[in-house]
Amino acid sequence: MGDDQILVVEDDPRIQELLEYNLKREGFSVLPAHSAEKALQILEGTTPQLVLLDLMLPGMDGLTLCRRLKESPRWRTIPIIMLTARREEADMVAGLELGADDYLPKPFSVRVLLARIRAVLRRAAEEPPPSEDGVIRIREITVNRERHAVTVIGKPVVLTPMEFRVLAILVSKPGKVFTRSEIADAAHHEENVVTDRAVDVQIAALRRKLGSAGRYIETVRGVGYRFKV
């Protein structure tokens, strides 16, 4: 990972220095930015492999920058890890819904942050291109989008249409945290309205029907779910 560039958008000099020191020690190249505006200037000249983004920034805030990046064809594929204060849960959820890949509340452990960075970079590098046959194979699970069929270790699993849609979004980006709202939107079909509570019910049913493979569906407290990698 020695060639990986990480754009660190953080206005607190102490945290910026801490991040820069530890990231460089791990072999990463660091692009420091003390504001969203500076981050955009940097992005005009280079494309980093990952963005560490503080949400509380002077001027343009982190959520606005996240939206700008995810709406841009040039930058939308750059993974984003948000750094948040614990009291900013609503902003954290909003950031994930905008397309951020992960989050870490402050104060954070440097070891945990480095592990999250490696995991996100690994997912970005290993994420397979969309399958031409509409089949996703992950762990013991095979999801055939075209046939709306699921197997676990080769054995068919009977799911309702809504359960299938919930599973399909989770396995589409393993490791990414999906909020309940995102899952509800994906599971929505025609006139059926899917509530957050309904998402929890579908997850419980999925875990039960997937048997031992149900353990890969991980609860992210206060936010939603992800398929564990």
Short mmCIF file of all heavy atoms in Angstrom, two decimals, residues 51 77 128 182 204:
data_model
loop_
_atom_site.label_atom_id
_atom_site.label_comp_id
_atom_site.label_asym_id
_atom_site.label_seq_id
_atom_site.Cartn_x
_atom_site.Cartn_y
_atom_site.Cartn_z
N VAL A 51 -10.33 9.12 0.85
CA VAL A 51 -10.49 10.41 1.52
C VAL A 51 -10.91 10.17 2.96
O VAL A 51 -11.89 9.45 3.22
CB VAL A 51 -11.54 11.29 0.82
CG1 VAL A 51 -11.76 12.58 1.60
CG2 VAL A 51 -11.12 11.61 -0.62
N THR A 77 -16.02 7.40 -7.37
CA THR A 77 -15.55 6.07 -6.97
C THR A 77 -14.48 6.12 -5.88
O THR A 77 -14.06 5.07 -5.39
CB THR A 77 -14.97 5.31 -8.18
OG1 THR A 77 -13.89 6.07 -8.74
CG2 THR A 77 -16.04 5.09 -9.24
N PRO A 128 -15.29 -6.79 -7.52
CA PRO A 128 -15.35 -7.33 -8.88
C PRO A 128 -16.22 -6.47 -9.78
O PRO A 128 -17.14 -5.80 -9.31
CB PRO A 128 -15.98 -8.71 -8.67
CG PRO A 128 -16.81 -8.54 -7.44
CD PRO A 128 -16.08 -7.56 -6.57
N GLU A 182 -31.56 3.49 3.16
CA GLU A 182 -31.05 3.01 1.88
C GLU A 182 -31.60 1.63 1.55
O GLU A 182 -31.99 1.35 0.41
CB GLU A 182 -29.52 2.96 1.91
CG GLU A 182 -28.83 4.29 1.84
CD GLU A 182 -27.33 4.15 1.89
OE1 GLU A 182 -26.82 3.60 2.88
OE2 GLU A 182 -26.66 4.60 0.94
N ALA A 204 -33.92 -10.02 10.07
CA ALA A 204 -34.06 -11.16 10.99
C ALA A 204 -34.46 -12.42 10.22
O ALA A 204 -33.93 -13.51 10.47
CB ALA A 204 -35.09 -10.83 12.07
#
